[in-house]
Amino acid sequence: MNAAVRAVVRVGIYTGAKVYFVHEGYQGLVDGGDNIKEATWESVSMMLQLGGTVIGSARCQDFRTREGRLKAARNLVKRGITNLCVIGGDGSLTGADTFRAEWSSLLDELVKGGGITAEEAKKSSYLNIVGMVGSIDNDFCGTDMTIGTDSALHRIMEIVDAITTTAQSHQRTFVLEVMGRHCGYLALITALACGADWVFIPESPPEDDWEDHLCRRLTETRLGGSRLNIIIVAEGAIDKHGKAITADDIKTLVVKRLEYDTRVTILGHVQRGGTPSAFDRILTKDVTTAMNEGRFEDALKLRGRSFLNNWNVYKLLAHIRPPSTKSGYTLAVLNVGAPAAGMNAAVRSTVRIGLIHGHRMLAVHDGFEGLAEGKIEEISWERVGSWTGLGGSKLGTKRTLPKKYFEEISINISNFGIHGLVIIGGFEAFTGSLELMEGRAKFEELCIPLCVIPATVSNNVPGSDFSIGADTALNTITTTCDRIKQSAAGTKRRVFIIETMGGFCGYLATMAGLAGGADAVYIYEERFNIHDLQVNVEHLTEKMKTTVKRGLVLRNERCNENYTTDFIYNLYSEEGKGVFDCRKNVLGHMQQGGTPTPFDRNFGTKMGAKAVAWITGKIKECTRHGRIFANTKDSACLLGMRKRSLVFQPLTELKEQTDFEHRIPKEQWWLKLRPILKILAKYNIELDTTEKAHLEHVTRKGIALESNI
């Protein structure tokens, strides 16, 4: 919420508006006085990394009454406030809508009662309201993700990961209750991200004999070699008859029937706390009615396509077992390029969904090189069981391209009877797969369907807005920047220069700059010269005269071959003498490591599931007289996220969209966010705020002057 407050204040001031804080929510609006204070640029400094909300929030009974809303309206009119930005959940935004609908009648009543003058009422004749949804439940219509949800998932997964190690040591069953009275989003995503054995959500109650199913499922998992069981319960979980299913009920059942050592953990308000994640910085009534009426299929649909897809993928991975009859097809999965957090989740999903389809699944170690050298083995359901939360690449990964190994690769494809390839990796996975397509003309064995899943911290693979691993890297950078800035809290007048990874792609630097409140971000895509560096130094010099005496500068590792991190550090140190001192940090490979974020775990899981479903259909399509021959453009595709959808795109079509020299897509959606970064750092720039200026999927910076902002 604090990131949203900061952005509203700074962009408001940038547009020339007078911006006010309303402390303690609607209660502050009703009470007025010192609860409504003018905000300044400096007053929102060092706010990004704080959880909760620094301006306070309170449930307000007074605002529910007409009398309370009259007081609130008078307080706004007296200060000339006609625009209200409300950040909150269902109650907050419903209250805002009521307030807006009554505005004219409230003013009329205030004029009649002498609370305001007719002139004041005329000046405040309209009330504009913008609502931003701040709710950890992610239960609001009109938005795919609410502010706070991603951070709540981070808190939950930290606890689940910690519990998992304990449970494995002691062979325990853990029952975790997460928030969600009427919405099972947190429970569902947690279950997907940790590979839980069972999840209870209010939107889809279990069948009447769920107790038998649950015990059978836990027994199968233990017999398969697992040393732990995890069951996730949403606090509002119910059965088909509306009876509550609690964590304690489940514990009693497991202990009584299976005699497993079982523990209950109720996460409670720990989910609300903590530092906001990088994502957060940057239909409720209908669903409840459907659940109350027992229309659970409707409740799932009303949650939206994404929720329903998550639920279907979870059910596939958790409840369906490989069939006894086999498809006769063999799929191989491999990692290519540098390791990225979430790769293992994608491999796990690929293997398990493949087995569910009846395929024989092979794991290839060490990328294309391993495919050439025969480092290939059959992989089982149980083998990948605990891979979701592991960072790096369990299969091993190399940057080697396949062109020089065509003959060896073809022999191994034939020897192991491989009918399709799922290639998970970065830019090398993309270029290597293009090479395999070229090799089809000479080597018939390469004429099999293949699917590329983008996985790289650099987020530089064409055909996808996001790559697996980029979210984890971004959170690592953001957390590190927070700590570095915090270290300067007692040391005034200090500027930090931080180098990020990404090759020629400035995604990590730009998004970390937005999330960390950077004063300048240097990237390859936006060329800069010595004059720009001089402007940045002068800007920081002016900043040191204010109450905010800290600076943060991010530099993408390959933004400019001459203006290196050392050069920029030396320049800032020299030009800032007597005004500020400098420190530099090269973050290096710490950005590739670590435990995957909930987003990367779930993204990898869904991508793997989708890839196997597609490649299964493609194998059948390309089979003639018992033989597979795939040499069409659409038999080799990249699975990417485009806006809200996962789409398959032929690799050959993506060639035209790629700058191969610099290993980046020619068009990158996030470049349009760069002006916002500069506005929040208090630079005088122009920004197009017309309705035509969408903030996504715009090619290059084309900032138009908009005078009437």
Side-chain angles (χ1 to χ4, degrees):
M1 277 185 170
N2 288 322
V5 170
R6 173 181 177 268
V8 168
V9 169
R10 291 196 168 178
V11 176
I13 292 171
Y14 160 82
T15 62
K18 192 181 277 190
V19 184
Y20 288 87
F21 287 136
V22 178
H23 293 273
E24 311 309 331
Y26 286 132
Q27 192 64 56
L29 206 59
V30 172
D31 295 343
D34 288 341
N35 288 305
I36 305 175
K37 292 179 181 175
E38 188 171 351
T40 64
W41 194 275
E42 289 80 16
S43 62
V44 291
S45 180
M46 289 301 285
M47 183 186 279
L48 276 171
Q49 71 273 25
L50 301 177
T53 167
V54 297
I55 59 173
S57 177
R59 298 192 186 277
C60 179
Q61 291 300 322
D62 292 341
F63 195 74
R64 293 173 182 268
T65 67
R66 173 87 177 178
E67 187 182 347
R69 292 193 291 275
L70 274 169
K71 290 178 182 177
R74 183 179 183 277
N75 287 328
L76 290 180
V77 171
K78 288 296 182 183
R79 290 166 177 80
I81 299 171
T82 54
N83 302 286
L84 206 56
C85 184
V86 180
I87 309 167
D90 184 37
S92 302
L93 299 181
T94 302
D97 190 48
T98 304
F99 197 39
R100 179 197 55 79
E102 291 182 352
W103 184 252
S104 296
S105 64
L106 290 171
L107 294 193
D108 291 342
E109 196 171 327
L110 285 168
V111 171
K112 287 176 185 174
I116 60 173
T117 65
E119 185 63 28
E120 286 173 330
K122 188 178 179 183
K123 285 181 180 177
S124 302
S125 58
Y126 61 89
L127 179 68
N128 295 320
I129 293 180
V130 172
M132 285 189 275
V133 191
S135 164
I136 68 165
D137 287 335
N138 202 37
D139 59 353
F140 210 84
C141 64
T143 180
D144 290 337
M145 184 72 87
T146 61
I147 298 168
T149 302
D150 194 54
S151 298
L153 284 169
H154 276 249
R155 299 296 84 73
I156 295 168
M157 287 315 305
E158 285 166 8
I159 294 162
V160 171
D161 287 343
I163 284 172
T164 300
T165 52
T166 306
Q168 281 180 329
S169 302
H170 297 282
Q171 285 193 295
R172 280 181 178 152
T173 296
F174 267 92
V175 184
L176 281 87
E177 183 188 287
V178 301
M179 280 186 164
R181 277 175 303 161
H182 306 296
C183 180
Y185 181 85
L186 289 179
L188 174 57
I189 300 301
T190 301
L192 262 176
C194 72
D197 296 285
W198 201 281
V199 62
F200 293 91
I201 59 172
E203 293 88 347
S204 184
E207 297 300 325
D208 287 339
D209 57 347
W210 65 267
E211 294 95 336
D212 297 332
H213 283 302
L214 174 61
C215 291
R216 187 164 61 248
R217 174 86 179 89
L218 299 182
T219 305
E220 285 173 3
T221 307
R222 288 290 175 98
L223 291 174
S226 176
R227 292 178 59 84
L228 82 155
N229 300 110
I230 292 180
I231 302 164
I232 308 294
V233 191
E235 63 178 335
I238 52 174
D239 64 16
K240 290 277 188 188
H241 309 288
K243 183 189 173 189
I245 298 174
T246 68
D248 286 327
D249 292 339
I250 297 162
K251 177 188 174 181
T252 303
L253 171 72
V254 174
V255 171
K256 188 176 177 181
R257 292 243 197 130
L258 303 177
E259 297 182 350
Y260 288 172
D261 185 3
T262 306
R263 298 286 188 274
V264 170
T265 301
I266 298 174
L267 301 188
H269 280 71
V270 72
Q271 297 159 81
R272 293 191 184 276
T275 304
S277 70
F279 188 101
D280 280 336
R281 298 185 194 187
I282 317 187
L283 256 113
T284 311
K285 291 186 179 65
D286 287 342
V287 177
T288 307
T289 302
M291 288 192 292
N292 289 340
E293 293 174 359
R295 294 183 289 109
F296 296 109
E297 283 189 15
D298 291 341
L300 278 170
K301 288 174 185 173
L302 285 166
R303 282 285 179 229
R305 186 178 60 187
S306 178
F307 188 97
L308 194 57
N309 286 344
N310 285 327
W311 178 240
N312 289 334
V313 170
Y314 173 77
K315 284 195 297 182
L316 264 179
L317 289 169
H319 295 281
I320 296 174
R321 280 292 174 269
S324 53
T325 54
K326 302 300 178 185
S327 67
Y329 299 131
T330 298
L331 296 186
V333 58
L334 62 154
N335 293 155
V336 176
M343 271 184 167
N344 294 321
V347 171
R348 171 184 177 269
S349 174
T350 300
V351 169
R352 288 197 165 182
I353 298 294
L355 292 170
I356 286 167
H357 279 281
H359 306 326
R360 174 170 160 256
M361 297 302 297
L362 301 178
V364 181
H365 297 274
D366 298 336
F368 290 123
E369 194 175 302
L371 189 58
E373 294 175 358
K375 295 180 181 177
I376 305 166
E377 62 173 339
E378 192 164 346
I379 190 162
S380 67
W381 181 279
E382 290 77 18
R383 172 89 177 274
V384 295
S386 60
W387 284 21
T388 309
L390 301 178
S393 166
K394 290 283 285 180
L395 295 182
T397 179
K398 289 191 175 180
R399 295 180 183 272
T400 314
L401 293 174
K403 203 165 195 173
K404 58 183 177 182
Y405 297 117
F406 278 166
E407 193 169 333
E408 294 89 339
I409 288 172
S410 298
I411 290 168
N412 281 325
I413 286 175
S414 178
N415 288 346
F416 285 90
I418 297 169
H419 302 113
L421 286 174
V422 177
I423 302 166
I424 303 165
F427 202 82
E428 289 84 0
F430 170 63
T431 52
S433 299
L434 282 171
E435 287 184 5
L436 288 179
M437 286 190 74
E438 290 170 15
R440 285 175 170 180
K442 194 174 179 183
F443 297 92
E444 194 177 302
E445 293 84 356
L446 299 180
C447 294
I448 57 174
L450 62 91
C451 181
V452 178
I453 298 176
T456 167
V457 300
S458 301
N459 198 33
N460 65 333
V461 180
S464 189
D465 295 344
F466 296 100
S467 297
I468 296 166
D471 188 65
T472 303
L474 181 56
N475 275 278
T476 301
I477 297 167
T478 304
T479 303
T480 307
C481 288
D482 286 347
R483 288 175 179 170
I484 288 170
K485 283 168 69 178
Q486 209 169 36
S487 73
T491 311
K492 303 297 184 185
R493 302 180 185 279
R494 180 160 287 175
V495 174
F496 291 96
I497 295 156
I498 298 173
E499 181 183 295
T500 69
M501 293 179 89
F504 286 101
C505 180
Y507 172 82
L508 284 180
T510 297
M511 301 308 275
L514 270 171
D519 296 283
V521 178
Y522 302 117
I523 63 170
Y524 167 77
E525 293 91 342
E526 193 172 274
R527 304 298 172 86
F528 61 97
N529 54 35
I530 195 68
H531 172 70
D532 298 313
L533 292 171
Q534 183 185 348
V535 168
N536 295 148
V537 171
E538 289 169 357
H539 175 79
L540 280 166
T541 303
E542 287 301 308
K543 185 180 180 182
M544 296 300 162
K545 295 175 184 176
T546 69
T547 56
V548 185
K549 302 186 188 299
R550 292 168 303 279
L552 178 66
V553 176
L554 296 179
R555 179 191 175 273
N556 165 254
E557 62 183 346
R558 303 194 71 175
C559 65
N560 189 296
E561 60 183 345
N562 295 314
Y563 299 141
T564 63
T565 301
D566 286 335
F567 177 90
I568 292 172
Y569 166 72
N570 291 332
L571 176 72
Y572 273 66
S573 297
E574 182 62 31
E575 296 298 317
K577 268 185 182 174
V579 182
F580 57 80
D581 64 350
C582 293
R583 296 288 185 275
K584 67 175 176 180
N585 292 79
V586 178
L587 301 186
H589 282 75
M590 67 179 289
Q591 296 160 82
Q592 281 184 348
T595 305
T597 59
F599 178 87
D600 277 332
R601 298 182 198 203
N602 293 319
F603 190 33
T605 299
K606 286 192 280 190
M607 294 284 265
K610 190 108 174 169
V612 172
W614 175 85
I615 212 164
T616 301
K618 194 56 68 176
I619 289 172
K620 291 174 182 174
E621 186 184 306
C622 298
T623 301
R624 296 284 186 277
H625 310 295
R627 183 168 161 270
I628 296 166
F629 186 76
N631 68 342
T632 56
K633 287 181 180 180
D634 65 353
S635 64
C637 285
L638 181 138
L639 172 57
M641 181 184 274
R642 293 286 204 178
K643 295 190 178 180
R644 293 181 56 200
S645 302
L646 295 178
V647 292
F648 292 93
Q649 302 143 98
L651 294 172
T652 49
E653 289 181 10
L654 294 175
K655 281 174 76 173
E656 298 170 8
Q657 302 172 25
T658 308
D659 175 355
F660 283 96
E661 182 187 351
H662 299 104
R663 297 161 54 91
I664 54 173
K666 290 178 182 176
E667 297 182 2
Q668 299 185 88
W669 64 271
W670 49 267
L671 282 169
K672 190 65 177 179
L673 300 178
R674 301 258 320 160
I676 296 173
L677 195 150
K678 293 176 181 177
I679 288 169
L680 295 175
K682 212 176 183 179
Y683 284 89
N684 293 320
I685 69 155
E686 297 157 1
L687 177 68
D688 185 354
T689 59
T690 61
E691 287 183 9
K692 294 177 182 177
H694 298 299
L695 288 179
E696 56 184 0
H697 303 90
V698 181
T699 57
R700 288 264 172 179
K701 41 170 189 159
I703 308 162
L705 176 63
E706 176 67 28
S707 54
N708 185 17
I709 206 154

